[in-house]
């Protein structure tokens, strides 16, 4: 009998439901539960899905991948068993497996597939998600998760036409909230959905794990992170922390068993301690709820219900905070891991009028990942290469449509990276001045992003760019993380510093300062640049040229820029003598730029991974090298806010981790300059180095596991590398003339 299939591809769990006309029922995807963990394991060229992947991943953690949904649209591949996979390919494999399992259980393929997605995804994410459907060879209808949740809630509670529901979804890896209204034909989204793609139950798990590890700090100093037994023990401990978090929803205390080499003990965690730990990120969700209501021009009294979905929404503190803030008792759905899938399949009914896109049927590019006459094995050779090529081509097409003004239209309050626990807090008078009215200047088109010099082969993951001084001038070098110089890229006279890598690691921008009547120290090096400013070059050393040559953009005195993940925009400091510094966002081709903030002095801009905000440091005092870390919407439509409210103003060099969960930066404290980190929600502030360096200029590895930084702890500026938690600090380059600003990944 024909049936419909609803799929909830969650960050941590995936569930599916079917309806053959007799009502929605769950599909048993797993052996132990109806849902499966959204986990893949690479086994001899095949991607294993779900429970088997999770079991085997505890023994071979480098072959397992999870939370890849967070990385959709990220051009940096995920390494699984040493092989690169895009997040699109991994998500497509998961979806294909779900459809295969439903087909196996039902005896035939579904007549219609409905797949849900976060409501706060913009056009770029939606087009990337559409490519996932193509890669999986699945024709699907896409609907927002809150709409599906509202449909399921309405199946068991009385909801009249005109009633308005706030759907609060705190899942494993993402958070979003939006307001929906019951209509004659279903539900319609009101206002602007809000959320944070880097905030979910997984982050609460990490917080509890960090607390447990802190309690064990004096007994775990001798653990070797390279020991497989330690890896297995820590993996088990993380799982125990997840179970303790879930237990604290019903119990006032939980015991976390610890079994590590040479250490067997327990750690007791109370609900009160856990709530203190997670209250700051939950306050971010309450603020997002307020913004969602404002965007819909509603108040709490206009709501019929607050519907909670997502496993972490069952934490008692969530309901308490929402009730206190909005005066309405939240309603829990019947099963946090099933209700979205059940609601999705309800929306597949013939009378459901969906105002969402219908994904096109599979294309030849999608067919390339499926072996004819057999189920897809997603082999590493031809299949993944073809699929990856399809995603890259599709992504380039999507990017080609974008302009600087695409971001201008984005809501200034939708900050997926949640860089401040209080995103609406205006800039205080003691910190940099509020943003002036944004100005836009158009210039003559100079070139398109596609015209930038681009190497045929990307910079390998174990190589970075750094600045070193030769006999006369500073130049940009390629270097392996092992400390071996591989190639000198800039050769002319003058100083070349502050390189900035593109996301695809094929192009870089650098700052050139012309020499005053000096020649290149390299015979036959070619023409010597004689104009200060930003230049661009391929990472293989070819195509060197000025970035901007004509128009107003070419006349700006720009500092080291930040480069947006999609490659279409730069953020830079523009300086005019006698005036405050300006923070400007420019299109990569120089055709337009806008001022989004100003301060007496500011520097080190970089885009948040979701591209919606720009981070930088600023100070009211000129002549300083550091200040307060700030964040401002990319369109300048709202005043800047402090990333760390109330913290000392001696910070600089902010650099986001590739997954957007952590910000590394340099801070001056009593021990001098050191590298610090803070989570994207403003929690977890900690110092990683303490060597009276100064230690500064952090840059993340492509996999986010290590940080390279400059340090003078040995007397001269050297380059060091450490794990992302600050352990295992090693000297990489010992050279008396190493300058700042190493570039391992995009700033």
């Amino acid at each position: 009998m024909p049936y419909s299939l609803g799929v909830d591809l969650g960050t941590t769990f995936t569930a599916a439901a079917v309806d053959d006309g007799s009502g929605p029922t769950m599909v048993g995807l797993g052996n132990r539960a109806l849902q499966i963990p959204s986990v893949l394991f690479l086994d001899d060229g095949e991607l294993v899905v779900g429970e088997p992947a999770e079991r085997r991943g505890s023994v071979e953690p480098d072959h397992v991948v999870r939370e890849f949904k967070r990385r959709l649209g990220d051009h940096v591949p995920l390494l699984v068993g040493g092989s690169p996979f895009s997040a699109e390919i991994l998500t497509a494999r998961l979806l294909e497996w779900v459809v295969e399992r439903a087909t196996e259980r039902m005896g035939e393929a579904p007549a219609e597939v409905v797949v849900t997605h976060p409501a706060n995804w913009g056009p770029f994410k939606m087009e990337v998600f559409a490519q996932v459907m193509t890669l999986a060879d699945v024709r699907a209808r896409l609907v927002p998760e809150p709409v599906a949740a509202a449909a399921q809630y309405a199946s068991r509670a009385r909801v009249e036409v005109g009633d308005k529901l706030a759907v609060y979804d705190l899942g494993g890896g993402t958070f979003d909230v939006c307001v929906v209204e019951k209509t004659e034909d279903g539900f319609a989204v009101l206002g602007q959905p809000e959320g944070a793609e880097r905030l979910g139950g997984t982050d609460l798990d990490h917080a509890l794990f960090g607390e447990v590890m802190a309690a064990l700090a004096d007994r775990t100093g001798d653990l070797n992170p390279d020991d497989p037994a330690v890896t297995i023990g820590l993996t088990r401990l993380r799982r125990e922390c997840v179970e303790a978090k879930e237990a604290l929803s019903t119990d006032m205390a939980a015991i976390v068993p610890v079994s590590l080499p040479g250490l067997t003990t327990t750690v007791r965690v109370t609900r009160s301690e856990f709530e203190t730990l997670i209250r700051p990120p939950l306050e971010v969700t309450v603020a997002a709820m307020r913004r969602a209501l404002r965007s819909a021009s509603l108040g709490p009294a206009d709501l019929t219900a607050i519907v909670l979905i997502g496993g972490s929404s069952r934490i008692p503190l969530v309901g308490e905070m929402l009730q206190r803030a909005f005066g309405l008792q939240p309603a829990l759905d019947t099963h946090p891991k099933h209700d979205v899938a059940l609601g999705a399949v309800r929306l597949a009914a013939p009378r459901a009028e969906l105002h969402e896109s219908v994904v096109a049927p599979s294309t030849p590019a999608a067919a390339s990942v499926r072996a004819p006459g057999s189920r897809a094995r997603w082999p590493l050779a031809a299949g993944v290469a073809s699929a990856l090529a399809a995603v890259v081509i599709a992504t380039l097409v999507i990017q080609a449509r974008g302009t600087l003004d695409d971001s201008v239209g984005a809501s200034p309050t939708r900050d997926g990276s949640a860089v401040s626990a209080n995103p609406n807090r205006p800039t205080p008078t003691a910190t940099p001045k509020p943003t002036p009215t944004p100005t836009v200047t158009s210039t003559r088109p100079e070139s398109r992003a596609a015209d930038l010099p681009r190497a045929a082969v990307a910079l390998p993951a174990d190589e970075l760019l750094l600045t070193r001084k030769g006999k006369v001038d500073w130049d940009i070098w390629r270097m392996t993380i092992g400390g071996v110089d591989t190639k000198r890229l800039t050769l002319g006279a003058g100083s070349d510093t502050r390189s900035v890598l593109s996301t695809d690691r094929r192009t870089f921008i650098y700052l050139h300062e012309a020499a005053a009547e000096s020649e290149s120290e390299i015979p036959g090096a070619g023409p010597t640049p004689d104009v200060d400013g930003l230049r661009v070059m391929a990472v293989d050393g070819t195509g060197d040229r000025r970035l901007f040559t004509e128009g107003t953009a070419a006349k700006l005195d720009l500092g080291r820029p930040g480069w947006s993940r999609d490659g279409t925009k730069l953020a830079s400091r523009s300086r005019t003598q006698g005036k405050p510094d300006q923070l400007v966002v420019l299109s990569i081709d120089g055709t337009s730029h806008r001022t989004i903030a100003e301060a007496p002095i500011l520097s080190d801009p970089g885009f948040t991974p979701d591209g919606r905000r720009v981070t930088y440091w600023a100070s009211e005092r000129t002549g300083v090298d550091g200040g307060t870390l700030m964040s401002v919407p990319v369109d300048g439509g709202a005043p800047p806010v402090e990333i760390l409210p109330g913290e000392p103003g001696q910070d600089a060099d902010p650099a986001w981790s590739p997954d957007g969960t952590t910000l590394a930066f340099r801070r001056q404290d009593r021990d001098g300059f050191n590298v610090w980190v803070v989570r994207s929600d403003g929690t977890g502030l900690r110092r990683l180095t303490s060597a009276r360096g100064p230690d500064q200029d952090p840059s993340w590895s492509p996999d986010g596991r290590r940080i390279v930084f400059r340090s003078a702890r040995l007397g001269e500026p050297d380059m060091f590398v450490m794990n992302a938690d600050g352990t295992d600090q090693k000297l990489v380059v010992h050279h008396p003339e190493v300058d700042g600003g190493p570039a391992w990944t995009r700033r």
Side-chain angles (χ1 to χ4, degrees):
M1 181 179 295
Y3 68 95
S4 300
L5 173 67
V7 183
D8 174 22
L9 292 175
T11 304
T12 54
F13 287 96
T14 290
V18 296
D19 187 356
D20 60 4
S22 57
T25 59
M26 293 297 296
V27 178
L29 298 180
N31 296 321
R32 296 175 298 175
L34 295 175
Q35 71 280 353
I36 58 167
S38 300
V39 178
L40 301 179
F41 181 88
L42 184 63
D43 178 26
D44 192 25
E46 182 177 357
L47 288 168
V48 180
V49 179
E51 294 170 350
E54 189 169 53
R55 286 195 301 270
R56 299 175 66 175
S58 63
V59 180
E60 298 180 82
D62 59 326
H63 280 248
V64 73
V65 62
R66 63 185 80 235
E67 299 179 27
F68 40 86
K69 181 181 176 183
R70 282 182 167 189
R71 297 283 297 275
L72 285 175
D74 188 344
H75 306 311
V76 180
L78 294 155
L79 290 180
V80 188
S83 299
F85 288 86
S86 71
E88 291 79 17
I89 288 176
L90 298 172
T91 307
R93 173 61 184 130
L94 177 60
L95 174 60
E96 183 200 42
W97 185 92
V98 170
V99 175
E100 287 176 351
R101 180 56 61 95
T103 300
E104 176 185 305
R105 296 290 171 91
M106 301 297 291
E108 61 179 322
E112 183 179 7
V113 180
V114 179
V115 182
T116 62
H117 62 85
N120 65 333
W121 275 5
F124 174 75
K125 274 289 185 71
M126 290 305 300
E127 291 203 51
V128 171
F129 200 45
Q131 289 300 316
V132 170
M133 308 300 119
T134 300
L135 289 169
D137 199 9
V138 173
R139 182 184 178 92
R141 189 186 296 270
L142 306 182
V143 301
E145 291 163 2
V147 171
Q152 176 63 11
Y153 174 78
S155 71
R156 61 182 181 85
R158 185 179 182 86
V159 181
E160 304 288 351
V161 172
D163 284 352
K164 300 170 182 63
L165 311 176
V167 182
Y168 175 105
D169 183 0
L170 185 58
T174 59
F175 164 75
D176 64 279
V177 58
C178 76
V179 180
V180 297
E181 182 178 15
K182 182 70 167 64
T183 67
E184 293 288 350
D185 300 314
F187 286 90
V189 175
L190 301 181
Q192 179 65 58
E194 293 287 340
E197 293 182 32
R198 306 293 181 180
L199 173 61
T202 299
D203 301 284
L204 307 185
D205 299 338
H206 290 335
L208 183 55
F209 175 78
E211 193 75 1
V212 170
M213 290 300 294
L216 301 171
D218 59 341
R219 290 183 282 176
T220 57
D222 296 332
L223 293 178
N224 179 8
D226 297 325
D227 183 352
V230 173
T231 301
I232 294 173
L234 290 176
T235 300
R236 186 185 303 115
L237 179 57
R238 287 181 183 277
R239 188 165 57 248
E240 295 289 355
C241 288
V242 173
E243 294 181 1
K245 178 198 72 173
E246 294 173 351
L248 289 172
S249 292
T250 54
D251 299 332
M252 299 305 296
I255 301 298
V256 181
V258 180
S259 181
L260 296 168
L263 176 62
T264 301
T265 186
T266 59
V267 176
R268 184 176 184 270
V269 182
T270 67
R271 180 186 290 184
S272 175
E273 292 169 337
F274 179 59
E275 289 180 345
T276 299
L277 196 64
I278 66 173
R279 188 178 295 275
L282 292 184
E283 287 174 348
V284 173
T285 70
V286 173
M289 177 94 152
R290 290 194 178 97
R291 295 197 301 271
L293 284 172
R294 284 200 303 269
S295 71
S297 300
L298 299 175
D302 297 312
L303 295 177
T304 302
I306 299 175
V307 180
L308 304 184
I309 59 173
S312 294
S313 67
R314 296 209 162 192
I315 295 173
L317 182 60
V318 170
E320 293 172 12
M321 292 177 67
L322 290 175
Q323 184 174 10
R324 186 162 53 250
F326 302 104
L328 194 63
Q329 176 66 46
L332 276 170
D333 264 4
T334 54
H335 198 296
K337 296 174 183 175
H338 298 169
D339 286 322
V340 172
L342 290 167
V345 79
R346 290 183 185 279
L347 294 174
R351 292 185 66 252
E353 184 69 22
L354 303 178
H355 304 284
E356 303 297 324
S357 60
V358 177
V359 178
S362 59
T363 65
S368 66
V369 302
R370 187 185 294 274
S374 65
R375 77 179 187 87
R377 287 180 52 85
W378 297 75
L380 291 178
V384 169
S386 300
L388 183 57
V391 171
V392 170
I393 292 171
T395 303
L396 289 175
V397 171
I398 294 168
Q399 291 177 1
R401 300 174 186 168
T403 65
L404 180 63
D405 292 333
D406 289 339
S407 295
V408 173
S411 169
T413 58
R414 289 180 58 200
D415 180 9
S417 56
V419 296
S420 173
N422 188 358
N424 291 323
R425 184 173 184 258
T427 307
T429 55
T431 56
K433 297 177 181 178
T435 310
T437 302
T439 59
V440 181
T441 302
S442 296
T443 67
R444 284 182 55 190
E446 172 194 341
S447 65
R448 297 171 308 193
D451 294 331
L452 296 182
R454 189 168 180 267
V457 178
L459 190 72
D462 64 345
E463 289 189 30
L464 52 78
L465 304 181
L466 80 161
T467 303
R468 295 182 64 171
K469 190 174 183 180
K471 296 179 182 178
V472 179
D473 299 314
W474 297 93
D475 287 294
I476 309 296
W477 292 70
R478 279 176 60 164
M479 185 201 75
T480 64
I481 197 61
V484 179
D485 295 326
T486 58
K487 187 173 183 179
R488 184 177 185 170
L489 299 179
T490 60
L491 302 175
S495 293
D496 300 320
T497 61
R498 301 290 178 174
S499 52
V500 180
L501 268 171
S502 61
T503 302
D504 65 4
R505 302 176 63 79
R506 296 174 186 266
T507 306
F508 71 97
I509 295 171
Y510 66 97
L511 191 63
H512 175 75
E513 183 178 348
E517 300 184 4
S518 67
E519 297 181 358
S520 171
E521 62 190 77
I522 307 297
T528 299
D530 59 358
V531 179
D532 292 348
L534 297 178
R535 299 185 66 84
V536 63
M537 178 186 287
V539 296
D540 59 7
T542 62
D544 185 25
R545 67 167 173 83
R546 288 185 66 195
L547 181 61
F548 305 126
T549 58
E550 297 180 351
T552 307
K555 299 176 183 178
L556 296 176
D557 181 8
L558 301 174
R560 178 177 56 168
W563 203 334
S564 66
R565 173 170 289 181
D566 63 8
T568 63
K569 296 180 288 295
L570 297 176
S572 182
R573 178 222 67 212
S574 177
R575 181 162 290 170
T576 302
Q577 187 173 4
K579 295 183 179 181
D581 285 353
Q582 293 185 328
L583 180 63
V584 297
V585 174
L586 310 96
S587 58
I588 193 64
D589 61 4
T591 59
S592 61
H593 74 272
R594 67 176 60 241
T595 299
I596 62 172
E598 66 176 29
I601 185 171
L602 60 84
S603 191
D604 297 336
F607 288 86
T608 54
D610 61 9
R612 294 174 182 163
R613 300 182 74 86
V614 176
T615 55
Y616 62 103
W617 68 262
S619 175
E620 288 291 320
R621 296 188 301 125
T622 59
V624 298
D625 185 20
T628 302
L629 293 183
M630 309 294 293
S631 167
V632 63
V634 74
D635 66 347
V641 295
E642 296 178 358
I643 293 177
L644 297 170
E647 292 290 334
Q650 298 292 330
D651 301 334
D653 305 332
W656 283 103
S657 62
D659 64 1
T661 62
T662 308
L663 184 68
F665 62 97
R666 184 215 74 191
R667 164 167 289 186
Q668 184 177 13
D669 56 18
R670 64 180 181 277
D671 292 329
F673 292 103
N674 285 288
V675 177
W676 292 62
V677 291
V678 65
R679 298 190 190 101
S680 60
D681 59 8
T683 64
L685 178 67
R686 62 187 294 250
R687 188 172 67 177
L688 298 187
T689 68
S690 56
R692 300 181 183 272
D695 297 341
Q696 56 194 39
D697 293 314
S699 182
W700 295 82
S701 63
D703 61 8
R705 296 180 179 179
R706 292 183 290 175
I707 299 174
V708 67
F709 62 99
R710 183 170 64 121
S711 175
R713 62 182 63 180
L714 301 180
E716 298 289 349
D718 300 316
M719 207 66 66
F720 283 75
V721 69
M722 62 182 168
N723 293 331
D725 61 0
T727 60
D728 196 23
Q729 298 181 21
K730 297 178 180 178
L731 178 67
V732 178
V733 179
H734 179 58
H735 193 284
E737 299 292 352
V738 175
D739 194 18
W744 204 353
T745 49
R746 180 189 65 86
R747 290 184 63 251

